[in-house]
Amino acid sequence: MPSISTISFSPFERHHLLLCELDDTMFIVDCGWPTEDYSNVQAADSKARTAKDTVANPRDALSSINWARVDFVLISNYEQMTLLPYITEYTEFAGPVYATEPTKAYGRCVLEEGLQTIGRSGNSLSDAHVGTSSSAGAEGRRALQMPYTQQDIVASMERITDVRHNEIITPVPFVRVYTRSSGYCIGGANWTVEYKNHRTAFISTSTLATCLHPQEWDSSVLSEAQAVVFCDAADPAEQEENDAGAAPPNVHISQKINQLCSTATAALKQRNRVLLIGEPYGVTQDILQLVAENVISLNLPLPQFVIVSPIAERTLQYGNIMGEWLCATKQALLYLPEYPFVDKDLRQKGHLHFVRSLSQLATRNIPQGTWFVIASPRDSATINHFVRQWQQDASQCSSADMAGGTGTSRFSVLIHDDDVARAQAIVNQISVGNEVTYVPVSQRMTYGNIEQVLANAVRAQHVLVPSFIRARLPAAAVSRFEFGLLEYSYLQATVIDLDTDRHLPLSIQREMTQQMKRDGKQHAIVSGKLSLSAGEIRLMRDDSSNDTSDNVGEGGLKNEPTPSNTRLQLSAADQGAAYNASAVPAHYNLASWTPQRLASELSDVGLNAVVIDGGPRSGGPATGLVQVSVAGGTATIRMHRGWEVDCTSVSTQWAVLDALRQVLKSV
């Protein structure tokens, strides 16, 4: 019986690193780790901190993994590859790494930016991988010293094998891996690992929103999976009060972005300056696009868009040249031909400037006028510089200048980061009061979204979620799930048997009684439960409640012992009378079915069913056999003292089970 073991090695909610073992195959899904932490915000998981309240040490966590046994690594998006250079260059891991082309390109940018930002921060660390508090301006902030160099980043990128959405790869024999779009970012992927006809889906950071520029969420990742593993979800603290999950993702995210853009446009209309704190990719691209379009539509003077980042120029260009990874609306622009984003037009007009650092800003000759500055939330030096400079300009601005609206008296700071802890630390750091507008744009799935997408997990036997997600799912929603809902936590091993029983309640009593009443037939109230065991379905009578010493069932046949968890229990009762099993026979008689009738009924519901000769079985009477052919295998239904179904694959089980349910409901 195949099984899959999953261990989470990251104690953080937004980042994940899962070690998975599938029989003799071991692989890693994502290797994310935060590059910073904030001491003034309590960690979601207490295990993430040591007794001295320091950032958890990734080297200690990874040292317990036998990297020589790890066969391959799957990377879902650029946020989940922080530790990849360390894994490829400083461990015994020698296998391939799989990621989409945009994930590889953006991931390299993110790693290099983090390395340069921490290098500029001037932190002197006695330990190679745990940071201490930085300067007084960033008090309370701790940075993780990257345990690798620029050369390690370049070498790790060469280990990555590019994959495309919907491509099938075979990293090791007998294991197939599928990739599907997660909708979260350009190139964001979810993974399905198939082994012995059993599929396990790994749902990394995902979104159902279709109003952003990345390719949309692909729900097929869930439809064929027998086991589903969720990696993360949006923290309720990131949502407005009473708003989490209440609005559809498109409406919710569009409202947030429009609110930010309206604030920026209003400030630019008054010739005020704007500082947008956000990564130079992701939602920032949508905000930049919308602000520029609003300014042009209102016939306002275009501001000077200044982006301070060592990677901004590359990331914006990637958005233009990777059109095939964009949403359908952006892809349509490529056939005009048009660039899907506004940055090319702004550069041609001389209103878009890329500055790698503050030192380079001092040497650049940027035209006078209103400035719209974009700075990374990790770059505290740049944020502090502009806030300090603009506050000084405001204090020196005369009354005449303020009345004339020259743009030197006021400014606005916009923050859209959905990392509430980081955003709060930035607000506390810059302390500019009412000039800060914080509107978190949370793209990730909410818990309501998880309930929604699980409706598509029609073949799921098990769903595995982090403990923080399980604690936040409503109890009423959990009770509606037909599959087993499991949870995992930091350094906890969770084993899933992929062939375990799947119990499907069959509402025979209500549906059959109502149908027979409508037909005017005599009927008995029948109750039961249909259970599916791996490779076999049994529909057996159980007359143990009214059994005699001979255990003789209906038709004079002695009942076979009923396997546990694989039986249909039947009971009968008079209409409106108390149960009296000795007086009332069961009207639901499996022996009354003939192979021809069953084959005809199964054919009516769309299956290819034929009657074959089974011959005598164990010296008894001839056994009626019905053979069913479906996509992916065959099934043989043996009609003797009950129905016994042997299937050649798990996918055949589901098809036969659904057909039998339809047949029984229509009786």
Tab-separated table of all heavy atoms in Angstrom, residues 364-417:
chain	number	residue	atom	x	y	z
A	364	ARG	N	22.160	61.054	-10.271
A	364	ARG	CA	21.226	61.077	-11.379
A	364	ARG	C	20.581	62.450	-11.501
A	364	ARG	O	20.246	63.095	-10.493
A	364	ARG	CB	20.118	60.022	-11.178
A	364	ARG	CG	20.601	58.602	-11.296
A	364	ARG	CD	20.907	58.210	-12.731
A	364	ARG	NE	19.717	58.297	-13.550
A	364	ARG	CZ	18.848	57.289	-13.682
A	364	ARG	NH1	19.063	56.140	-13.063
A	364	ARG	NH2	17.793	57.436	-14.453
A	365	ASN	N	20.399	62.901	-12.730
A	365	ASN	CA	19.745	64.173	-12.984
A	365	ASN	C	18.295	63.898	-13.376
A	365	ASN	O	17.970	63.663	-14.535
A	365	ASN	CB	20.464	64.934	-14.095
A	365	ASN	CG	19.859	66.304	-14.339
A	365	ASN	OD1	19.148	66.834	-13.472
A	365	ASN	ND2	20.132	66.882	-15.499
A	366	ILE	N	17.432	63.919	-12.378
A	366	ILE	CA	16.010	63.638	-12.615
A	366	ILE	C	15.276	64.966	-12.720
A	366	ILE	O	15.455	65.862	-11.881
A	366	ILE	CB	15.436	62.780	-11.473
A	366	ILE	CG1	16.182	61.434	-11.426
A	366	ILE	CG2	13.948	62.549	-11.657
A	366	ILE	CD1	15.749	60.532	-10.304
A	367	PRO	N	14.453	65.138	-13.738
A	367	PRO	CA	13.747	66.423	-13.935
A	367	PRO	C	12.932	66.824	-12.719
A	367	PRO	O	12.473	65.997	-11.938
A	367	PRO	CB	12.862	66.148	-15.156
A	367	PRO	CG	13.519	65.017	-15.868
A	367	PRO	CD	14.141	64.170	-14.796
A	368	GLN	N	12.760	68.144	-12.581
A	368	GLN	CA	11.955	68.670	-11.497
A	368	GLN	C	10.473	68.347	-11.741
A	368	GLN	O	10.035	68.103	-12.848
A	368	GLN	CB	12.138	70.184	-11.393
A	368	GLN	CG	13.553	70.611	-11.015
A	368	GLN	CD	13.918	70.132	-9.621
A	368	GLN	OE1	13.096	70.164	-8.715
A	368	GLN	NE2	15.162	69.707	-9.459
A	369	GLY	N	9.720	68.379	-10.670
A	369	GLY	CA	8.291	68.109	-10.759
A	369	GLY	C	7.850	67.204	-9.617
A	369	GLY	O	8.613	66.896	-8.698
A	370	THR	N	6.595	66.778	-9.691
A	370	THR	CA	6.064	65.882	-8.672
A	370	THR	C	6.692	64.504	-8.809
A	370	THR	O	6.800	63.970	-9.907
A	370	THR	CB	4.533	65.782	-8.811
A	370	THR	OG1	3.965	67.091	-8.811
A	370	THR	CG2	3.955	64.978	-7.667
A	371	TRP	N	7.077	63.942	-7.673
A	371	TRP	CA	7.722	62.632	-7.673
A	371	TRP	C	6.758	61.563	-7.144
A	371	TRP	O	6.025	61.773	-6.182
A	371	TRP	CB	8.982	62.644	-6.802
A	371	TRP	CG	10.189	63.188	-7.501
A	371	TRP	CD1	10.206	64.071	-8.537
A	371	TRP	CD2	11.549	62.885	-7.198
A	371	TRP	NE1	11.494	64.349	-8.914
A	371	TRP	CE2	12.349	63.629	-8.106
A	371	TRP	CE3	12.183	62.081	-6.268
A	371	TRP	CZ2	13.743	63.586	-8.087
A	371	TRP	CZ3	13.569	62.032	-6.248
A	371	TRP	CH2	14.335	62.774	-7.160
A	372	PHE	N	6.801	60.414	-7.811
A	372	PHE	CA	6.114	59.210	-7.330
A	372	PHE	C	7.216	58.162	-7.158
A	372	PHE	O	7.733	57.622	-8.128
A	372	PHE	CB	5.069	58.733	-8.344
A	372	PHE	CG	4.213	57.588	-7.855
A	372	PHE	CD1	2.919	57.809	-7.413
A	372	PHE	CD2	4.695	56.281	-7.842
A	372	PHE	CE1	2.122	56.750	-6.973
A	372	PHE	CE2	3.916	55.235	-7.400
A	372	PHE	CZ	2.625	55.476	-6.958
A	373	VAL	N	7.594	57.923	-5.898
A	373	VAL	CA	8.743	57.064	-5.588
A	373	VAL	C	8.244	55.693	-5.136
A	373	VAL	O	7.287	55.585	-4.363
A	373	VAL	CB	9.620	57.695	-4.498
A	373	VAL	CG1	10.812	56.791	-4.168
A	373	VAL	CG2	10.102	59.073	-4.935
A	374	ILE	N	8.890	54.646	-5.634
A	374	ILE	CA	8.603	53.277	-5.220
A	374	ILE	C	9.845	52.711	-4.553
A	374	ILE	O	10.937	52.746	-5.125
A	374	ILE	CB	8.198	52.401	-6.420
A	374	ILE	CG1	6.925	52.950	-7.072
A	374	ILE	CG2	7.974	50.952	-5.984
A	374	ILE	CD1	6.496	52.193	-8.317
A	375	ALA	N	9.694	52.218	-3.326
A	375	ALA	CA	10.807	51.647	-2.568
A	375	ALA	C	10.383	50.315	-1.980
A	375	ALA	O	9.218	50.123	-1.607
A	375	ALA	CB	11.260	52.593	-1.459
A	376	SER	N	11.321	49.387	-1.900
A	376	SER	CA	11.043	48.064	-1.337
A	376	SER	C	10.830	48.166	0.168
A	376	SER	O	11.492	48.944	0.849
A	376	SER	CB	12.210	47.115	-1.633
A	376	SER	OG	12.074	45.914	-0.899
A	377	PRO	N	9.909	47.388	0.727
A	377	PRO	CA	9.718	47.407	2.182
A	377	PRO	C	10.947	46.914	2.944
A	377	PRO	O	11.068	47.186	4.139
A	377	PRO	CB	8.515	46.473	2.396
A	377	PRO	CG	8.448	45.638	1.165
A	377	PRO	CD	8.967	46.482	0.063
A	378	ARG	N	11.851	46.219	2.268
A	378	ARG	CA	13.081	45.771	2.927
A	378	ARG	C	14.144	46.872	2.989
A	378	ARG	O	15.097	46.761	3.756
A	378	ARG	CB	13.666	44.565	2.182
A	378	ARG	CG	12.774	43.336	2.161
A	378	ARG	CD	13.490	42.170	1.495
A	378	ARG	NE	12.656	40.984	1.438
A	378	ARG	CZ	11.844	40.686	0.430
A	378	ARG	NH1	11.795	41.492	-0.614
A	378	ARG	NH2	11.101	39.597	0.456
A	379	ASP	N	13.987	47.907	2.158
A	379	ASP	CA	15.007	48.951	2.052
A	379	ASP	C	14.677	50.087	3.012
A	379	ASP	O	14.162	51.145	2.631
A	379	ASP	CB	15.073	49.457	0.609
A	379	ASP	CG	16.305	50.295	0.341
A	379	ASP	OD1	17.024	50.615	1.315
A	379	ASP	OD2	16.541	50.645	-0.828
A	380	SER	N	14.978	49.881	4.271
A	380	SER	CA	14.645	50.884	5.292
A	380	SER	C	15.437	52.175	5.097
A	380	SER	O	14.944	53.266	5.417
A	380	SER	CB	14.888	50.324	6.689
A	380	SER	OG	16.244	49.934	6.832
A	381	ALA	N	16.649	52.077	4.548
A	381	ALA	CA	17.455	53.279	4.343
A	381	ALA	C	16.786	54.223	3.345
A	381	ALA	O	16.724	55.447	3.565
A	381	ALA	CB	18.846	52.892	3.856
A	382	THR	N	16.287	53.691	2.248
A	382	THR	CA	15.619	54.524	1.244
A	382	THR	C	14.331	55.118	1.796
A	382	THR	O	14.027	56.299	1.590
A	382	THR	CB	15.321	53.689	-0.015
A	382	THR	OG1	16.552	53.242	-0.577
A	382	THR	CG2	14.558	54.504	-1.038
A	383	ILE	N	13.558	54.317	2.505
A	383	ILE	CA	12.302	54.807	3.085
A	383	ILE	C	12.585	55.957	4.051
A	383	ILE	O	11.942	57.024	4.002
A	383	ILE	CB	11.558	53.662	3.786
A	383	ILE	CG1	11.137	52.591	2.768
A	383	ILE	CG2	10.328	54.190	4.532
A	383	ILE	CD1	10.552	51.350	3.404
A	384	ASN	N	13.554	55.751	4.939
A	384	ASN	CA	13.892	56.797	5.913
A	384	ASN	C	14.402	58.053	5.231
A	384	ASN	O	14.103	59.176	5.661
A	384	ASN	CB	14.941	56.273	6.905
A	384	ASN	CG	14.378	55.234	7.848
A	384	ASN	OD1	13.196	55.258	8.162
A	384	ASN	ND2	15.220	54.317	8.299
A	385	HIS	N	15.172	57.891	4.168
A	385	HIS	CA	15.728	59.062	3.479
A	385	HIS	C	14.625	59.954	2.927
A	385	HIS	O	14.635	61.178	3.152
A	385	HIS	CB	16.645	58.600	2.347
A	385	HIS	CG	17.001	59.696	1.385
A	385	HIS	ND1	17.975	60.647	1.662
A	385	HIS	CD2	16.499	60.020	0.146
A	385	HIS	CE1	18.068	61.489	0.637
A	385	HIS	NE2	17.184	61.134	-0.292
A	386	PHE	N	13.689	59.364	2.185
A	386	PHE	CA	12.653	60.199	1.575
A	386	PHE	C	11.714	60.778	2.613
A	386	PHE	O	11.297	61.948	2.507
A	386	PHE	CB	11.863	59.374	0.551
A	386	PHE	CG	12.570	59.209	-0.760
A	386	PHE	CD1	13.184	58.014	-1.097
A	386	PHE	CD2	12.636	60.264	-1.659
A	386	PHE	CE1	13.850	57.869	-2.300
A	386	PHE	CE2	13.290	60.128	-2.865
A	386	PHE	CZ	13.906	58.929	-3.186
A	387	VAL	N	11.354	60.016	3.633
A	387	VAL	CA	10.463	60.552	4.664
A	387	VAL	C	11.137	61.708	5.392
A	387	VAL	O	10.530	62.771	5.623
A	387	VAL	CB	10.053	59.437	5.641
A	387	VAL	CG1	9.319	60.028	6.850
A	387	VAL	CG2	9.165	58.411	4.945
A	388	ARG	N	12.424	61.540	5.763
A	388	ARG	CA	13.144	62.607	6.460
A	388	ARG	C	13.271	63.845	5.588
A	388	ARG	O	13.048	64.975	6.034
A	388	ARG	CB	14.542	62.088	6.850
A	388	ARG	CG	14.729	61.901	8.325
A	388	ARG	CD	16.161	61.626	8.734
A	388	ARG	NE	17.051	61.177	7.696
A	388	ARG	CZ	17.358	59.902	7.470
A	388	ARG	NH1	16.777	58.961	8.187
A	388	ARG	NH2	18.208	59.572	6.522
A	389	GLN	N	13.636	63.629	4.310
A	389	GLN	CA	13.845	64.760	3.408
A	389	GLN	C	12.543	65.507	3.165
A	389	GLN	O	12.507	66.738	3.197
A	389	GLN	CB	14.418	64.257	2.088
A	389	GLN	CG	14.756	65.350	1.078
A	389	GLN	CD	15.857	66.264	1.567
A	389	GLN	OE1	16.894	65.793	2.051
A	389	GLN	NE2	15.646	67.572	1.492
A	390	TRP	N	11.473	64.753	2.961
A	390	TRP	CA	10.198	65.422	2.675
A	390	TRP	C	9.621	66.089	3.909
A	390	TRP	O	8.960	67.125	3.810
A	390	TRP	CB	9.210	64.408	2.104
A	390	TRP	CG	9.606	63.955	0.713
A	390	TRP	CD1	10.613	64.467	-0.054
A	390	TRP	CD2	9.014	62.907	-0.055
A	390	TRP	NE1	10.678	63.809	-1.263
A	390	TRP	CE2	9.705	62.842	-1.297
A	390	TRP	CE3	7.982	62.015	0.163
A	390	TRP	CZ2	9.384	61.930	-2.290
A	390	TRP	CZ3	7.647	61.090	-0.819
A	390	TRP	CH2	8.352	61.055	-2.033
A	391	GLN	N	9.853	65.519	5.078
A	391	GLN	CA	9.426	66.182	6.300
A	391	GLN	C	10.198	67.497	6.495
A	391	GLN	O	9.628	68.507	6.920
A	391	GLN	CB	9.648	65.262	7.513
A	391	GLN	CG	8.624	64.152	7.647
A	391	GLN	CD	8.916	63.259	8.824
A	391	GLN	OE1	10.072	63.090	9.217
A	391	GLN	NE2	7.874	62.655	9.380
A	392	GLN	N	11.482	67.480	6.174
A	392	GLN	CA	12.282	68.702	6.284
A	392	GLN	C	11.799	69.753	5.295
A	392	GLN	O	11.701	70.953	5.628
A	392	GLN	CB	13.756	68.371	6.032
A	392	GLN	CG	14.700	69.563	6.199
A	392	GLN	CD	16.152	69.177	5.984
A	392	GLN	OE1	16.465	67.998	5.824
A	392	GLN	NE2	17.031	70.170	5.977
A	393	ASP	N	11.480	69.336	4.063
A	393	ASP	CA	10.943	70.277	3.082
A	393	ASP	C	9.637	70.884	3.562
A	393	ASP	O	9.376	72.072	3.374
A	393	ASP	CB	10.722	69.571	1.746
A	393	ASP	CG	12.029	69.171	1.089
A	393	ASP	OD1	13.083	69.682	1.498
A	393	ASP	OD2	11.989	68.312	0.172
A	394	ALA	N	8.795	70.063	4.187
A	394	ALA	CA	7.505	70.564	4.662
A	394	ALA	C	7.686	71.564	5.787
A	394	ALA	O	6.972	72.576	5.857
A	394	ALA	CB	6.631	69.397	5.127
A	395	SER	N	8.653	71.321	6.662
A	395	SER	CA	8.859	72.242	7.782
A	395	SER	C	9.440	73.572	7.320
A	395	SER	O	9.232	74.606	7.963
A	395	SER	CB	9.792	71.604	8.824
A	395	SER	OG	11.073	71.367	8.261
A	396	GLN	N	10.172	73.555	6.201
A	396	GLN	CA	10.776	74.785	5.686
A	396	GLN	C	9.883	75.490	4.674
A	396	GLN	O	10.248	76.561	4.190
A	396	GLN	CB	12.123	74.460	5.036
A	396	GLN	CG	13.168	73.931	6.002
A	396	GLN	CD	14.445	73.518	5.306
A	396	GLN	OE1	14.512	73.536	4.077
A	396	GLN	NE2	15.453	73.142	6.092
A	397	CYS	N	8.758	74.896	4.367
A	397	CYS	CA	7.873	75.481	3.361
A	397	CYS	C	7.153	76.689	3.949
A	397	CYS	O	6.582	76.637	5.039
A	397	CYS	CB	6.869	74.439	2.899
A	397	CYS	SG	5.758	75.028	1.601
A	398	SER	N	7.175	77.796	3.232
A	398	SER	CA	6.527	79.015	3.708
A	398	SER	C	5.022	78.947	3.476
A	398	SER	O	4.512	78.099	2.737
A	398	SER	CB	7.096	80.234	2.978
A	398	SER	OG	6.781	80.161	1.588
A	399	SER	N	4.308	79.858	4.108
A	399	SER	CA	2.857	79.924	3.933
A	399	SER	C	2.498	80.214	2.488
A	399	SER	O	1.513	79.689	1.948
A	399	SER	CB	2.255	80.988	4.849
A	399	SER	OG	2.544	80.697	6.199
A	400	ALA	N	3.285	81.060	1.837
A	400	ALA	CA	3.013	81.375	0.435
A	400	ALA	C	3.185	80.140	-0.444
A	400	ALA	O	2.400	79.891	-1.365
A	400	ALA	CB	3.930	82.495	-0.040
A	401	ASP	N	4.221	79.379	-0.149
A	401	ASP	CA	4.422	78.152	-0.924
A	401	ASP	C	3.271	77.168	-0.705
A	401	ASP	O	2.815	76.505	-1.652
A	401	ASP	CB	5.742	77.483	-0.531
A	401	ASP	CG	6.944	78.298	-0.974
A	401	ASP	OD1	6.801	79.042	-1.953
A	401	ASP	OD2	8.011	78.178	-0.340
A	402	MET	N	2.807	77.082	0.522
A	402	MET	CA	1.708	76.162	0.808
A	402	MET	C	0.445	76.626	0.098
A	402	MET	O	-0.301	75.820	-0.453
A	402	MET	CB	1.473	76.077	2.323
A	402	MET	CG	2.632	75.459	3.103
A	402	MET	SD	2.339	75.390	4.884
A	402	MET	CE	0.928	74.289	4.951
A	403	ALA	N	0.197	77.950	0.115
A	403	ALA	CA	-0.988	78.468	-0.571
A	403	ALA	C	-0.876	78.273	-2.073
A	403	ALA	O	-1.886	78.034	-2.762
A	403	ALA	CB	-1.178	79.941	-0.222
A	404	GLY	N	0.335	78.383	-2.607
A	404	GLY	CA	0.519	78.214	-4.039
A	404	GLY	C	0.515	76.765	-4.476
A	404	GLY	O	0.454	76.480	-5.677
A	405	GLY	N	0.557	75.846	-3.508
A	405	GLY	CA	0.525	74.426	-3.858
A	405	GLY	C	1.709	74.000	-4.689
A	405	GLY	O	1.551	73.355	-5.729
A	406	THR	N	2.916	74.358	-4.266
A	406	THR	CA	4.102	74.022	-5.061
A	406	THR	C	4.506	72.563	-4.921
A	406	THR	O	5.396	72.088	-5.617
A	406	THR	CB	5.275	74.903	-4.621
A	406	THR	OG1	5.519	74.694	-3.209
A	406	THR	CG2	4.969	76.361	-4.869
A	407	GLY	N	3.884	71.826	-4.036
A	407	GLY	CA	4.197	70.417	-3.914
A	407	GLY	C	5.306	70.100	-2.956
A	407	GLY	O	5.741	68.972	-2.872
A	408	THR	N	5.831	71.101	-2.221
A	408	THR	CA	6.920	70.854	-1.274
A	408	THR	C	6.426	70.795	0.160
A	408	THR	O	7.216	70.613	1.068
A	408	THR	CB	7.980	71.958	-1.389
A	408	THR	OG1	7.383	73.236	-1.074
A	408	THR	CG2	8.579	71.990	-2.781
A	409	SER	N	5.131	70.973	0.361
A	409	SER	CA	4.635	71.047	1.730
A	409	SER	C	4.055	69.724	2.221
A	409	SER	O	4.083	69.462	3.419
A	409	SER	CB	3.571	72.139	1.848
A	409	SER	OG	2.501	71.858	0.962
A	410	ARG	N	3.555	68.923	1.323
A	410	ARG	CA	2.874	67.708	1.770
A	410	ARG	C	3.354	66.513	0.948
A	410	ARG	O	3.843	66.657	-0.179
A	410	ARG	CB	1.357	67.849	1.639
A	410	ARG	CG	0.749	68.898	2.571
A	410	ARG	CD	-0.756	68.935	2.394
A	410	ARG	NE	-1.381	67.648	2.702
A	410	ARG	CZ	-1.693	67.247	3.932
A	410	ARG	NH1	-1.423	68.032	4.964
A	410	ARG	NH2	-2.261	66.086	4.137
A	411	PHE	N	3.162	65.346	1.538
A	411	PHE	CA	3.470	64.099	0.825
A	411	PHE	C	2.619	62.982	1.428
A	411	PHE	O	2.065	63.120	2.523
A	411	PHE	CB	4.962	63.757	0.930
A	411	PHE	CG	5.441	63.477	2.330
A	411	PHE	CD1	5.484	62.178	2.821
A	411	PHE	CD2	5.856	64.516	3.167
A	411	PHE	CE1	5.915	61.922	4.101
A	411	PHE	CE2	6.295	64.267	4.447
A	411	PHE	CZ	6.329	62.960	4.917
A	412	SER	N	2.515	61.891	0.713
A	412	SER	CA	1.739	60.738	1.161
A	412	SER	C	2.594	59.484	1.072
A	412	SER	O	3.393	59.314	0.142
A	412	SER	CB	0.484	60.549	0.295
A	412	SER	OG	-0.379	61.650	0.415
A	413	VAL	N	2.429	58.609	2.052
A	413	VAL	CA	3.108	57.318	2.071
A	413	VAL	C	2.041	56.234	1.953
A	413	VAL	O	1.111	56.181	2.762
A	413	VAL	CB	3.925	57.124	3.360
A	413	VAL	CG1	4.608	55.756	3.345
A	413	VAL	CG2	4.957	58.236	3.523
A	414	LEU	N	2.175	55.399	0.943
A	414	LEU	CA	1.214	54.325	0.695
A	414	LEU	C	1.887	52.980	0.931
A	414	LEU	O	3.007	52.737	0.460
A	414	LEU	CB	0.689	54.389	-0.743
A	414	LEU	CG	0.136	55.729	-1.227
A	414	LEU	CD1	-0.360	55.598	-2.664
A	414	LEU	CD2	-0.987	56.225	-0.327
A	415	ILE	N	1.218	52.100	1.641
A	415	ILE	CA	1.734	50.751	1.917
A	415	ILE	C	0.647	49.752	1.536
A	415	ILE	O	-0.498	49.861	1.991
A	415	ILE	CB	2.119	50.577	3.394
A	415	ILE	CG1	3.104	51.672	3.835
A	415	ILE	CG2	2.707	49.199	3.639
A	415	ILE	CD1	3.442	51.612	5.316
A	416	HIS	N	1.000	48.775	0.710
A	416	HIS	CA	0.020	47.753	0.322
A	416	HIS	C	0.459	46.355	0.731
A	416	HIS	O	-0.198	45.371	0.387
A	416	HIS	CB	-0.209	47.780	-1.187
A	416	HIS	CG	0.980	47.365	-2.011
A	416	HIS	ND1	1.353	46.050	-2.181
A	416	HIS	CD2	1.882	48.099	-2.707
A	416	HIS	CE1	2.419	45.987	-2.958
A	416	HIS	NE2	2.770	47.215	-3.289
A	417	ASP	N	1.567	46.231	1.463
A	417	ASP	CA	2.101	44.926	1.849
A	417	ASP	C	1.089	44.179	2.713
A	417	ASP	O	0.579	44.722	3.701
A	417	ASP	CB	3.406	45.122	2.620
A	417	ASP	CG	4.232	43.851	2.704
A	417	ASP	OD1	3.685	42.769	2.419
A	417	ASP	OD2	5.421	43.941	3.043
